């Protein structure tokens, strides 16, 4: 049986599409429907909520960072053995970067590529019939991106619902949901996005509240009827990030969480074993592993505890003496000499690379990146071109004397200079790798 799919889109971030997506996923899973969540673009937090809501691993589908072949392979994998795929847009539905047709990174690329309908979530707070003008703009902006229905969010009253709904349906778009304003349904956030799914002590209770809201406020059966078959063209995993080793020691706790689901899934399918360890629990990478990976996360919130984790520090030093170690973003910060927290207090880190970073001196760095490796490391062989992104607020306060790891460009190919560092078997960068460039 072919899985059916629909895209949850919106005019902008903060419209409520994540709550609608998670609530719909959880409501369907409670009904016994096999459903999977997907996320457009480079988001490593929302897939964790999708996974928790459904019991099935979420996936990122990124039309800029992933080659068409890899994108098709991942979409096929996402649709395997499920009845529905609910694909959540990043930011606004059409938001991406200037790029060749179909490679902007927007959810609209996926709607065109796979012929998927869009369920448009509109935050109608502060407006009523004007919402119809917004909906009409979406319906006519691109004839290859079809709006199938509308969900009204943050309604103030029944009259508000009627005014907005009547105006939208008058232009020919069905309104399939109407959600009253309820701040208790909002998911809490911090500087890199939502609080992570694994940090909730009562996560399932909150997911069930979102599912209850969806059951009450949305016409789920109509939404399912709007979904269409997800039938990607043939693809393969030739451009996926290859396993960096046979047994991968992976830092995994509240300080280290940002590893894309599709990356870990492919490593396992390719035959690698992922062996998690917790630096916050003062654990070291397993000596029987042949590579160590420190992913991004929130080490700036746990710098004191990491600085006091003597077994972790000694174990990392022993490991790095004979085996490769790589750190991304937060992991890169921990590989350095010093991490300054938000209060301006400095904490000694691993010192396996010579740089220092500060979260007290904050500046947002955000965007797609393309990196050409200057040397072989766990990301790939020398000369390999990797696509990914940066999203961090921490700044470098000292550069050290290590060799640069890669030459970096933005999503449009504009050179950004050298990125990251390498010393012997240790490498790291603020750059998050998503896939190899085709």
């Amino acid at each position: 049986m072919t899985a059916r799919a629909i895209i949850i889109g919106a005019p902008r971030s903060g419209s409520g599409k994540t709550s609608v997506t998670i609530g719909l996923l959880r409501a369907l899973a409670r009904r016994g429907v096999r459903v999977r969540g997907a996320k457009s673009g480079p988001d490593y937090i929302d897939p964790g909520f999708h996974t928790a809501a459904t019991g099935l691993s979420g996936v990122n589908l990124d039309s800029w960072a992933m080659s068409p072949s890899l994108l098709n392979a991942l979409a096929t994998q996402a649709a395997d053995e499920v009845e529905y795929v609910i694909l959540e847009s990043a930011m606004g539905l059409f938001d991406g970067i200037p790029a060749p047709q179909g490679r902007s990174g927007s959810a609209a690329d996926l709607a065109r590529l796979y012929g998927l309908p869009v369920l448009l979530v509109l935050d109608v707070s502060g407006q009523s019939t004007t919402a119809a003008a917004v909906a009409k703009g979406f319906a006519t902006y691109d004839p290859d991106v079809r709006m199938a229905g509308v969900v009204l969010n943050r309604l103030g009253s029944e009259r508000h619902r009627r005014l907005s709904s009547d105006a939208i349906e008058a232009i020919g778009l069905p309104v399939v949901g109407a959600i009253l304003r309820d701040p208790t349904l909002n998911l809490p956030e911090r500087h890199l996005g939502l609080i992570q799914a694994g940090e909730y002590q009562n996560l399932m209770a909150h997911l069930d509240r979102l599912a209850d809201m969806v059951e009450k406020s949305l016409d789920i059966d109509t939404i399912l009827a709007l979904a269409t078959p997800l039938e990607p063209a043939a693809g393969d995993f030739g451009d996926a990030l290859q396993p960096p080793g046979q047994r991968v020691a992976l830092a995994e706790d509240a300080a280290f969480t940002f590893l894309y689901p599709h990356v870990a899934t492919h490593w396992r399918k390719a035959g690698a074993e992922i062996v998690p360890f917790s630096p916050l629990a003062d654990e070291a990478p397993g000596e029987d592993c042949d590579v160590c990976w420190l992913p991004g996360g929130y080490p700036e919130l746990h710098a004191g505890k990491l600085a006091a984790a003597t077994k972790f520090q000694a174990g990392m030093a022993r490991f790095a003496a004979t085996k490769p170690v790589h750190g991304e973003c937060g992991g890169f910060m921990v590989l350095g000499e010093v991490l300054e927290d938000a209060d301006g207090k400095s904490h000694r880190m691993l010192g396996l690379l010579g740089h220092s970073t500060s979260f007290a001196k904050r500046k947002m760095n955000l965007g797609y990146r393309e990196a050409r490796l200057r040397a072989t490391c766990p990301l790939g062989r020398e000369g390999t071109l990797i696509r990914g992104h940066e999203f961090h607020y921490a700044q470098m306060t000292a550069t050290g004397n290590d060799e640069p790891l890669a030459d970096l460009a933005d999503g449009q190919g504009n050179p950004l200079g050298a990125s990251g560092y390498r010393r012997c078997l240790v490498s790291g960068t603020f750059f998050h790798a998503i896939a190899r460039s085709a």
Side-chain angles (χ1 to χ4, degrees):
M1 183 177 65
T2 301
R4 302 175 73 84
I6 193 168
I7 293 175
I8 311 295
R12 57 175 175 80
S13 295
S15 297
K17 63 181 181 296
T18 297
S19 294
V20 170
T21 300
I22 296 170
L24 182 57
L25 288 170
R26 183 61 187 154
L28 291 174
R30 293 195 312 195
R31 292 184 176 190
V33 176
R34 284 189 63 81
V35 60
R36 189 185 308 278
K39 179 78 178 189
S40 75
D43 187 307
Y44 27 65
I45 295 178
D46 288 355
F49 286 95
H50 298 172
T51 299
T54 65
L56 299 175
S57 178
V59 65
N60 292 82
L61 298 175
D62 192 314
S63 66
W64 182 85
M66 297 169 179
S67 68
S69 182
L70 177 58
L71 191 65
N72 287 336
L74 286 168
T76 299
Q77 188 178 82
D80 187 37
E81 297 183 351
V82 299
E83 298 168 75
Y84 292 93
V85 175
I86 309 298
L87 201 163
E88 179 187 352
S89 166
M91 300 187 296
L93 179 69
F94 295 97
D95 292 334
I97 64 170
Q101 179 69 24
R103 298 298 304 272
S104 76
S106 71
D109 284 348
L110 304 176
R112 294 186 206 97
L113 178 62
Y114 301 126
L116 298 180
V118 175
L119 184 64
L120 184 63
V121 178
L122 292 181
D123 176 356
V124 295
S125 57
Q127 61 181 214
S128 58
T129 55
T130 298
V134 177
K136 186 171 183 178
F138 271 79
T140 59
Y141 180 73
D142 185 336
D144 294 326
V145 179
R146 180 172 65 88
M147 302 301 123
V150 175
V151 171
L152 303 175
N153 193 26
R154 301 190 179 114
L155 289 161
S157 65
E158 171 57 25
R159 180 175 180 272
H160 190 187
R161 182 204 65 77
R162 187 172 63 254
L163 288 170
S164 303
S165 180
D166 288 352
I168 290 171
E169 293 194 331
I171 65 170
L173 279 177
V175 174
V176 297
I179 304 169
L180 290 173
R181 192 179 299 120
D182 184 353
T184 67
L185 295 174
N186 294 340
L187 295 164
E189 300 185 32
R190 62 161 67 104
H191 53 282
L192 295 182
L194 296 177
I195 300 294
Q196 300 164 98
E199 296 181 71
Y200 283 82
Q201 292 184 341
N202 58 345
L203 174 62
M204 294 313 297
H206 191 81
L207 297 183
D208 282 330
R209 285 198 299 273
L210 290 174
D212 292 341
M213 174 272 291
V214 164
E215 292 278 10
K216 175 183 176 182
S217 306
L218 274 62
D219 186 340
I220 295 177
D221 292 336
T222 295
I223 292 171
L224 295 183
L226 294 173
T228 58
L230 176 56
E231 298 175 319
D236 62 55
F237 289 91
D239 296 319
L241 292 176
Q242 298 306 302
Q246 181 62 42
R247 287 174 58 83
V248 182
L250 177 69
E252 190 176 89
D253 54 29
F256 301 94
T257 59
F258 296 159
L259 183 67
Y260 288 107
H262 74 274
V263 172
T265 297
H266 179 68
W267 287 355
R268 292 190 180 99
K269 285 184 176 292
E273 182 181 358
I274 296 177
V275 183
F277 70 100
S278 171
L280 289 180
D282 203 9
E283 296 173 355
E287 295 181 1
D288 57 350
C289 293
D290 50 20
V291 65
C292 178
W293 191 281
L294 303 180
Y298 291 103
E300 63 270 21
L301 302 182
H302 306 277
K305 195 167 185 179
L306 291 170
T310 55
K311 293 179 182 177
F312 163 62
Q313 294 175 6
M316 286 296 299
R318 286 194 305 271
F319 195 99
T322 58
K323 300 173 184 178
V325 173
H326 183 72
E328 285 192 334
C329 202
F332 173 59
M333 294 160 66
V334 173
L335 287 174
E337 293 281 352
V338 173
L339 195 168
E340 184 181 26
D341 65 22
D343 297 324
K345 183 177 180 180
S346 293
H347 303 269
R348 297 294 302 178
M349 291 290 107
L350 294 173
L352 297 177
L353 293 173
H355 64 281
S356 296
T357 54
S358 172
F359 189 65
K361 302 174 179 66
R362 290 193 290 273
K363 179 182 178 183
M364 186 173 73
N365 290 268
L366 172 65
Y368 279 127
R369 300 288 185 260
E370 193 168 59
R372 187 173 295 279
L373 300 178
R374 290 193 180 187
T376 297
C377 70
L379 284 175
R381 301 193 64 79
E382 179 183 354
T384 300
L385 199 60
I386 306 288
R387 284 194 166 189
H389 78 111
E390 279 189 89
F391 185 18
H392 60 92
Y393 286 85
Q395 297 296 296
M396 202 95 68
T397 54
T399 58
N401 297 307
D402 299 314
E403 292 294 320
L405 177 63
D407 293 305
L408 206 64
D410 67 15
Q412 295 176 266
N414 300 307
L416 298 175
S419 174
Y421 297 109
R422 55 189 171 91
R423 179 196 297 175
C424 299
L425 295 173
V426 180
S427 60
T429 173
F430 274 124
F431 167 82
H432 291 270
I434 295 176
R436 296 191 292 185
S437 182

